[in-house]
Amino acid sequence: MIASMTGFASHDTEAEGQSLAWEIRSVNHRYLDLRVQLPDALRALETDVRARLQQSLGRGKVDAVLRLESPGEDAVVRFDPVRAKALVKTIREIDQLMVNGARVSALDILTWPGIIQRDAALDPDVLRAAVLEALGGAIADLRAMRAAEGEALRRTLETRLDAYSGLIRQLRERRTAIVEEQRERLRARIAELDLTLDPQRLEQEVALLAQRLDVDEELDRLDGHVAAMREILDRDEPVGRRLDFLMQEFNREANTLGSKSHDLETTRVAMEMKVLTEQMREQVQNIE
Protein backbone atom coordinates (compact mmCIF):
# COMPACT_ATOMS: atom_id res chain seq x y z
CA MET A 1 0.00 0.00 0.00
CA ILE A 2 1.46 3.37 -1.01
CA ALA A 3 1.67 6.24 1.47
CA SER A 4 1.52 9.99 1.13
CA MET A 5 4.30 12.15 2.53
CA THR A 6 1.76 14.64 3.86
CA GLY A 7 0.32 14.15 7.33
CA PHE A 8 -0.10 15.41 10.87
CA ALA A 9 -0.38 13.66 14.21
CA SER A 10 -0.43 14.63 17.87
CA HIS A 11 -0.21 12.39 20.92
CA ASP A 12 -0.56 13.42 24.57
CA THR A 13 0.24 11.45 27.68
CA GLU A 14 1.18 11.92 31.34
CA ALA A 15 3.94 10.44 33.46
CA GLU A 16 4.04 11.10 37.22
CA GLY A 17 2.46 14.52 36.93
CA GLN A 18 4.37 15.44 33.75
CA SER A 19 2.37 16.37 30.66
CA LEU A 20 3.98 15.16 27.40
CA ALA A 21 2.66 16.34 24.04
CA TRP A 22 4.12 15.24 20.70
CA GLU A 23 3.24 16.94 17.40
CA ILE A 24 4.56 15.58 14.12
CA ARG A 25 4.01 17.22 10.74
CA SER A 26 5.26 15.95 7.39
CA VAL A 27 5.21 17.26 3.82
CA ASN A 28 6.69 16.04 0.57
CA HIS A 29 10.47 16.09 0.14
CA ARG A 30 12.95 14.32 -2.09
CA TYR A 31 14.61 12.61 0.88
CA LEU A 32 13.90 12.10 4.60
CA ASP A 33 14.57 15.46 6.30
CA LEU A 34 14.06 15.32 10.07
CA ARG A 35 13.77 18.32 12.38
CA VAL A 36 13.41 17.45 16.04
CA GLN A 37 12.64 19.97 18.79
CA LEU A 38 12.99 18.80 22.40
CA PRO A 39 12.96 20.63 25.75
CA ASP A 40 16.45 21.36 27.09
CA ALA A 41 16.01 18.74 29.80
CA LEU A 42 15.44 16.03 27.16
CA ARG A 43 18.14 16.89 24.59
CA ALA A 44 19.87 13.59 25.30
CA LEU A 45 16.93 11.73 23.73
CA GLU A 46 17.33 13.30 20.28
CA THR A 47 19.39 10.40 18.93
CA ASP A 48 16.75 7.87 20.03
CA VAL A 49 13.94 10.01 18.63
CA ARG A 50 15.64 10.35 15.26
CA ALA A 51 16.28 6.61 15.12
CA ARG A 52 12.58 5.87 15.75
CA LEU A 53 11.51 8.29 13.03
CA GLN A 54 14.03 6.92 10.52
CA GLN A 55 12.82 3.37 11.14
CA SER A 56 9.19 4.31 10.48
CA LEU A 57 9.33 6.91 7.68
CA GLY A 58 10.96 6.62 4.27
CA ARG A 59 10.73 10.11 2.78
CA GLY A 60 9.36 13.54 3.61
CA LYS A 61 10.22 16.71 5.47
CA VAL A 62 9.25 15.88 9.06
CA ASP A 63 8.97 18.28 12.00
CA ALA A 64 8.67 16.56 15.39
CA VAL A 65 8.07 18.76 18.43
CA LEU A 66 7.81 17.62 22.06
CA ARG A 67 6.32 19.84 24.75
CA LEU A 68 6.88 19.05 28.41
CA GLU A 69 4.98 20.73 31.24
CA SER A 70 5.55 20.26 34.97
CA PRO A 71 2.66 21.94 36.77
CA GLY A 72 2.92 19.95 39.98
CA GLU A 73 4.24 21.10 43.37
CA ASP A 74 7.33 18.95 42.90
CA ALA A 75 8.59 21.24 40.15
CA VAL A 76 11.84 23.11 40.87
CA VAL A 77 12.88 26.35 39.17
CA ARG A 78 16.64 26.62 38.50
CA PHE A 79 18.62 29.69 37.47
CA ASP A 80 21.79 29.13 35.39
CA PRO A 81 24.16 31.99 36.44
CA VAL A 82 27.00 30.89 34.14
CA ARG A 83 24.83 31.04 31.04
CA ALA A 84 23.28 34.32 32.21
CA LYS A 85 26.70 35.99 32.70
CA ALA A 86 27.84 34.86 29.26
CA LEU A 87 24.67 36.25 27.73
CA VAL A 88 25.04 39.62 29.51
CA LYS A 89 28.67 39.88 28.37
CA THR A 90 27.70 39.21 24.78
CA ILE A 91 24.90 41.79 24.92
CA ARG A 92 27.34 44.44 26.22
CA GLU A 93 29.81 43.70 23.41
CA ILE A 94 27.07 44.01 20.81
CA ASP A 95 25.75 47.18 22.45
CA GLN A 96 29.16 48.87 21.98
CA LEU A 97 28.87 48.30 18.24
CA MET A 98 25.45 49.94 18.03
CA VAL A 99 24.25 53.55 18.22
CA ASN A 100 21.29 54.08 20.57
CA GLY A 101 20.67 50.36 20.83
CA ALA A 102 17.57 49.18 22.66
CA ARG A 103 18.14 48.46 26.36
CA VAL A 104 17.83 44.87 27.54
CA SER A 105 16.01 44.29 30.81
CA ALA A 106 16.43 41.51 33.36
CA LEU A 107 13.14 40.05 32.14
CA ASP A 108 14.59 39.82 28.63
CA ILE A 109 17.51 37.86 30.06
CA LEU A 110 15.24 35.51 31.97
CA THR A 111 13.22 34.65 28.84
CA TRP A 112 16.32 33.53 26.95
CA PRO A 113 16.32 29.73 26.40
CA GLY A 114 18.22 27.87 29.06
CA ILE A 115 18.52 30.70 31.62
CA ILE A 116 15.55 29.48 33.66
CA GLN A 117 14.85 25.76 33.78
CA ARG A 118 11.86 24.16 35.43
CA ASP A 119 12.77 20.61 36.34
CA ALA A 120 10.68 18.01 38.05
CA ALA A 121 11.62 15.36 40.53
CA LEU A 122 11.14 12.50 38.10
CA ASP A 123 13.14 9.38 37.44
CA PRO A 124 15.03 9.97 34.11
CA ASP A 125 14.44 6.39 33.00
CA VAL A 126 10.71 6.69 33.59
CA LEU A 127 10.61 9.98 31.68
CA ARG A 128 12.60 8.52 28.78
CA ALA A 129 10.28 5.53 28.50
CA ALA A 130 7.21 7.77 28.58
CA VAL A 131 8.61 10.09 25.90
CA LEU A 132 9.46 7.25 23.52
CA GLU A 133 6.14 5.51 24.14
CA ALA A 134 4.27 8.71 23.32
CA LEU A 135 6.46 9.14 20.24
CA GLY A 136 5.48 5.66 19.11
CA GLY A 137 1.81 6.59 19.37
CA ALA A 138 2.34 9.79 17.39
CA ILE A 139 4.26 7.93 14.67
CA ALA A 140 1.52 5.31 14.42
CA ASP A 141 -1.12 8.03 14.01
CA LEU A 142 1.01 9.80 11.40
CA ARG A 143 1.55 6.60 9.41
CA ALA A 144 -2.18 5.89 9.50
CA MET A 145 -2.95 9.34 8.12
CA ARG A 146 -0.26 9.05 5.45
CA ALA A 147 -1.62 5.63 4.47
CA ALA A 148 -5.15 7.02 4.12
CA GLU A 149 -3.85 9.88 1.98
CA GLY A 150 -1.83 7.39 -0.04
CA GLU A 151 -4.91 5.28 -0.75
CA ALA A 152 -6.71 8.37 -2.06
CA LEU A 153 -3.71 9.15 -4.29
CA ARG A 154 -3.68 5.57 -5.60
CA ARG A 155 -7.37 5.77 -6.60
CA THR A 156 -6.75 9.09 -8.35
CA LEU A 157 -3.77 7.71 -10.25
CA GLU A 158 -5.67 4.59 -11.30
CA THR A 159 -8.42 6.81 -12.73
CA ARG A 160 -5.77 8.69 -14.73
CA LEU A 161 -4.28 5.40 -15.94
CA ASP A 162 -7.70 4.21 -17.14
CA ALA A 163 -8.03 7.43 -19.15
CA TYR A 164 -4.52 6.95 -20.53
CA SER A 165 -5.34 3.41 -21.68
CA GLY A 166 -8.44 4.76 -23.44
CA LEU A 167 -6.32 7.28 -25.36
CA ILE A 168 -3.89 4.55 -26.42
CA ARG A 169 -6.80 2.50 -27.79
CA GLN A 170 -8.06 5.54 -29.71
CA LEU A 171 -4.73 5.95 -31.47
CA ARG A 172 -4.46 2.26 -32.29
CA GLU A 173 -7.91 2.30 -33.86
CA ARG A 174 -7.00 5.34 -35.96
CA ARG A 175 -3.79 3.97 -37.51
CA THR A 176 -5.54 2.40 -40.55
CA ALA A 177 -7.79 5.43 -41.03
CA ILE A 178 -4.82 7.80 -40.94
CA VAL A 179 -3.00 5.93 -43.73
CA GLU A 180 -6.14 5.91 -45.86
CA GLU A 181 -6.63 9.64 -45.26
CA GLN A 182 -3.08 10.34 -46.38
CA ARG A 183 -3.63 8.25 -49.55
CA GLU A 184 -6.73 10.27 -50.40
CA ARG A 185 -4.88 13.53 -49.79
CA LEU A 186 -2.14 12.50 -52.21
CA ARG A 187 -4.69 11.57 -54.86
CA ALA A 188 -6.52 14.84 -54.39
CA ARG A 189 -3.27 16.79 -54.66
CA ILE A 190 -2.27 14.95 -57.84
CA ALA A 191 -5.70 15.60 -59.36
CA GLU A 192 -5.48 19.26 -58.39
CA LEU A 193 -2.15 19.59 -60.20
CA ASP A 194 -3.50 17.64 -63.21
CA LEU A 195 -0.67 15.10 -63.03
CA THR A 196 -0.55 11.46 -64.04
CA LEU A 197 1.00 9.14 -61.46
CA ASP A 198 1.68 5.43 -61.68
CA PRO A 199 -0.60 3.65 -59.13
CA GLN A 200 2.36 1.54 -58.00
CA ARG A 201 4.38 4.69 -57.33
CA LEU A 202 1.46 6.11 -55.37
CA GLU A 203 1.38 3.06 -53.13
CA GLN A 204 5.13 3.31 -52.60
CA GLU A 205 4.75 6.91 -51.46
CA VAL A 206 1.88 5.94 -49.18
CA ALA A 207 3.97 3.12 -47.70
CA LEU A 208 6.86 5.51 -46.99
CA LEU A 209 4.50 8.00 -45.41
CA ALA A 210 2.91 5.29 -43.27
CA GLN A 211 6.37 4.27 -42.06
CA ARG A 212 7.13 7.84 -40.99
CA LEU A 213 3.79 8.08 -39.20
CA ASP A 214 4.06 4.68 -37.51
CA VAL A 215 3.79 5.00 -33.71
CA ASP A 216 3.20 1.35 -32.82
CA GLU A 217 6.45 1.21 -30.81
CA GLU A 218 5.50 4.31 -28.83
CA LEU A 219 2.04 2.90 -28.10
CA ASP A 220 3.54 -0.44 -27.05
CA ARG A 221 5.91 1.34 -24.66
CA LEU A 222 3.05 3.40 -23.22
CA ASP A 223 1.04 0.21 -22.65
CA GLY A 224 4.08 -1.15 -20.83
CA HIS A 225 4.41 2.00 -18.71
CA VAL A 226 0.73 1.83 -17.72
CA ALA A 227 1.08 -1.84 -16.71
CA ALA A 228 4.31 -1.10 -14.78
CA MET A 229 2.69 1.77 -12.89
CA ARG A 230 -0.29 -0.38 -11.87
CA GLU A 231 2.11 -3.01 -10.56
CA ILE A 232 4.17 -0.44 -8.65
CA LEU A 233 1.06 1.03 -7.03
CA ASP A 234 0.31 -2.39 -5.51
CA ARG A 235 3.69 -2.71 -3.82
CA ASP A 236 3.93 -2.54 -0.05
CA GLU A 237 7.02 -0.30 0.04
CA PRO A 238 8.03 3.31 -0.71
CA VAL A 239 7.63 3.75 -4.48
CA GLY A 240 7.69 7.52 -4.98
CA ARG A 241 11.10 7.62 -6.68
CA ARG A 242 10.19 4.81 -9.09
CA LEU A 243 7.03 6.64 -10.06
CA ASP A 244 9.00 9.85 -10.53
CA PHE A 245 11.19 8.12 -13.09
CA LEU A 246 8.21 6.52 -14.80
CA MET A 247 6.57 9.94 -15.25
CA GLN A 248 9.59 11.01 -17.30
CA GLU A 249 9.07 8.03 -19.58
CA PHE A 250 5.37 8.82 -20.03
CA ASN A 251 6.23 12.38 -20.97
CA ARG A 252 8.93 11.29 -23.45
CA GLU A 253 6.55 8.99 -25.35
CA ALA A 254 3.77 11.60 -25.41
CA ASN A 255 6.21 14.12 -26.90
CA THR A 256 7.27 11.62 -29.58
CA LEU A 257 3.63 10.99 -30.52
CA GLY A 258 3.07 14.72 -30.88
CA SER A 259 6.12 15.12 -33.12
CA LYS A 260 4.96 12.32 -35.43
CA SER A 261 1.40 13.57 -35.66
CA HIS A 262 0.11 14.68 -39.09
CA ASP A 263 -3.59 14.95 -38.22
CA LEU A 264 -5.58 16.97 -35.73
CA GLU A 265 -7.02 13.97 -33.89
CA THR A 266 -3.61 12.45 -33.12
CA THR A 267 -2.33 15.87 -32.02
CA ARG A 268 -5.32 16.25 -29.72
CA VAL A 269 -4.78 12.82 -28.17
CA ALA A 270 -1.05 13.50 -27.70
CA MET A 271 -1.91 16.76 -25.90
CA GLU A 272 -4.39 14.97 -23.63
CA MET A 273 -1.69 12.43 -22.81
CA LYS A 274 0.67 15.23 -21.78
CA VAL A 275 -2.02 16.78 -19.61
CA LEU A 276 -2.69 13.42 -17.91
CA THR A 277 1.04 12.90 -17.42
CA GLU A 278 1.39 16.28 -15.72
CA GLN A 279 -1.62 15.56 -13.49
CA MET A 280 -0.11 12.21 -12.46
CA ARG A 281 3.30 13.79 -11.89
CA GLU A 282 1.79 16.30 -9.46
CA GLN A 283 0.15 13.47 -7.51
CA VAL A 284 3.33 11.36 -7.55
CA GLN A 285 5.27 14.23 -5.93
CA ASN A 286 3.33 13.52 -2.71
CA ILE A 287 3.98 9.76 -2.61
CA GLU A 288 6.58 8.38 -0.19
Side-chain angles (χ1 to χ4, degrees):
M1 178 181 295
I2 67 172
S4 169
M5 286 187 283
T6 302
F8 171 79
S10 61
H11 194 89
D12 301 340
T13 189
E14 292 186 0
E16 297 188 8
Q18 306 297 302
S19 177
L20 303 171
W22 274 107
E23 285 189 1
I24 307 180
R25 302 175 186 271
S26 69
V27 295
N28 60 320
H29 195 272
R30 189 174 181 182
Y31 304 106
L32 180 61
D33 181 14
L34 299 177
R35 298 185 181 183
V36 179
Q37 296 182 33
L38 299 174
D40 290 341
L42 298 174
R43 291 291 184 187
L45 294 180
E46 183 169 346
T47 300
D48 292 337
V49 170
R50 286 182 171 274
R52 295 286 182 92
L53 291 169
Q54 289 171 348
Q55 291 171 2
S56 304
L57 305 173
R59 293 173 66 199
K61 182 179 179 181
V62 181
D63 290 302
V65 180
L66 173 64
R67 294 183 176 83
L68 174 66
E69 296 182 2
S70 308
E73 295 181 356
D74 293 334
V76 178
V77 175
R78 289 195 301 108
F79 167 66
D80 189 336
V82 175
R83 186 172 296 185
K85 289 178 181 179
L87 180 59
V88 170
K89 180 181 177 182
T90 301
I91 291 174
R92 286 175 177 171
E93 292 175 352
I94 295 175
D95 189 59
Q96 292 177 1
L97 302 176
M98 300 174 63
V99 177
N100 297 326
R103 295 187 60 82
V104 178
S105 67
L107 182 60
D108 294 327
I109 301 295
L110 291 175
T111 57
W112 190 266
I115 301 300
I116 293 295
Q117 298 180 1
R118 184 182 175 92
D119 295 338
L122 183 68
D123 186 335
D125 292 334
V126 174
L127 183 58
R128 176 183 182 278
V131 167
L132 295 181
E133 182 179 357
L135 174 63
I139 291 175
D141 292 343
L142 179 66
R143 283 174 56 87
M145 183 175 182
R146 285 168 49 134
E149 292 287 338
E151 179 61 20
L153 288 173
R154 184 180 66 82
R155 291 195 298 268
T156 299
L157 289 171
E158 287 182 342
T159 299
R160 301 283 191 272
L161 290 175
D162 290 341
Y164 220 108
S165 295
L167 294 176
I168 294 173
R169 286 194 298 271
Q170 287 183 35
L171 288 184
R172 287 194 187 280
E173 293 169 357
R174 274 196 55 78
R175 300 319 301 154
T176 303
I178 289 175
V179 174
E180 185 59 32
E181 289 172 4
Q182 294 301 321
R183 179 185 286 108
E184 293 303 319
R185 287 182 182 178
L186 282 175
R187 287 175 176 170
R189 184 59 174 166
I190 291 169
E192 181 182 339
L193 297 175
D194 195 20
L195 298 175
T196 301
L197 184 65
D198 180 15
Q200 185 175 0
R201 178 62 184 277
L202 175 62
E203 292 305 317
Q204 290 176 351
E205 292 296 328
V206 171
L208 290 173
L209 183 59
Q211 186 175 5
R212 290 197 298 270
L213 298 178
D214 182 48
V215 292
D216 283 344
E217 289 187 8
E218 286 78 9
L219 296 179
D220 287 342
R221 283 194 288 268
L222 282 173
D223 272 332
H225 296 337
V226 170
M229 189 164 175
R230 292 186 189 278
E231 185 272 329
I232 291 173
L233 290 175
D234 287 334
R235 294 186 183 182
D236 189 16
E237 61 183 75
V239 296
R241 292 180 183 176
R242 290 179 181 271
L243 294 177
D244 260 338
F245 173 77
L246 202 51
M247 288 301 98
Q248 299 176 29
E249 299 301 310
F250 271 99
N251 192 59
R252 181 178 294 111
E253 301 303 336
N255 284 333
T256 302
L257 286 173
S259 66
K260 287 188 174 184
S261 172
H262 280 68
D263 71 304
L264 291 177
E265 181 62 18
T266 301
T267 300
R268 182 191 67 79
V269 172
M271 288 299 297
E272 288 191 26
M273 285 182 170
K274 294 183 70 172
V275 170
L276 282 173
T277 299
E278 181 61 22
Q279 291 173 345
M280 289 192 294
R281 189 191 67 80
E282 291 177 357
Q283 299 296 328
V284 165
Q285 295 302 309
N286 293 320
I287 294 178
E288 182 179 7

